[in-house]
Amino acid sequence: CADAALAELVALLGAVAALGRARAALDRGDAALAIRIGEAVAAHDTARAQPRMVAAHRYLLDHGGSESFWEHGWLRDQLTKWTQESTDA
């Protein structure tokens, strides 16, 4: 239900404005929120969301994402996935 609500808000706001909010969240250190917004945008526009998703996952890796073996692996996997999205497009 929360995902559907977020998707509705992104549709209302538009991808560019939503990604602007994701960037603002990342700028203040809230990478998790940036990722949630990016995922909602990616559901409709993967190419536009891709740079923000790469930045947010890289931020998490650079700010403590290597403390847990499993978290580090998941973040590396996500970073690879989102980096490949740009080469596949």
Side-chain angles (χ1 to χ4, degrees):
C1 185
D3 289 338
L6 186 55
E8 287 293 322
L9 290 172
V10 167
L12 179 66
L13 191 59
V16 172
L19 290 169
R21 300 300 302 160
R23 179 180 179 104
L26 189 56
D27 288 347
R28 66 178 181 269
D30 194 348
L33 179 58
I35 289 170
R36 292 285 297 164
I37 295 170
E39 289 171 338
V41 172
H44 302 285
D45 192 344
T46 302
R48 196 169 290 211
Q50 182 271 337
R52 189 67 52 231
M53 295 298 283
V54 168
H57 286 92
R58 189 173 314 259
Y59 177 92
L60 287 174
L61 274 171
D62 293 344
H63 294 88
S66 62
E67 292 178 17
S68 161
F69 172 80
W70 300 109
E71 179 184 25
H72 179 78
W74 179 83
L75 287 170
R76 295 290 312 159
D77 181 61
Q78 290 297 302
L79 186 57
T80 299
K81 172 194 166 199
W82 286 105
T83 301
Q84 288 176 347
E85 291 285 339
S86 67
T87 60
D88 293 343

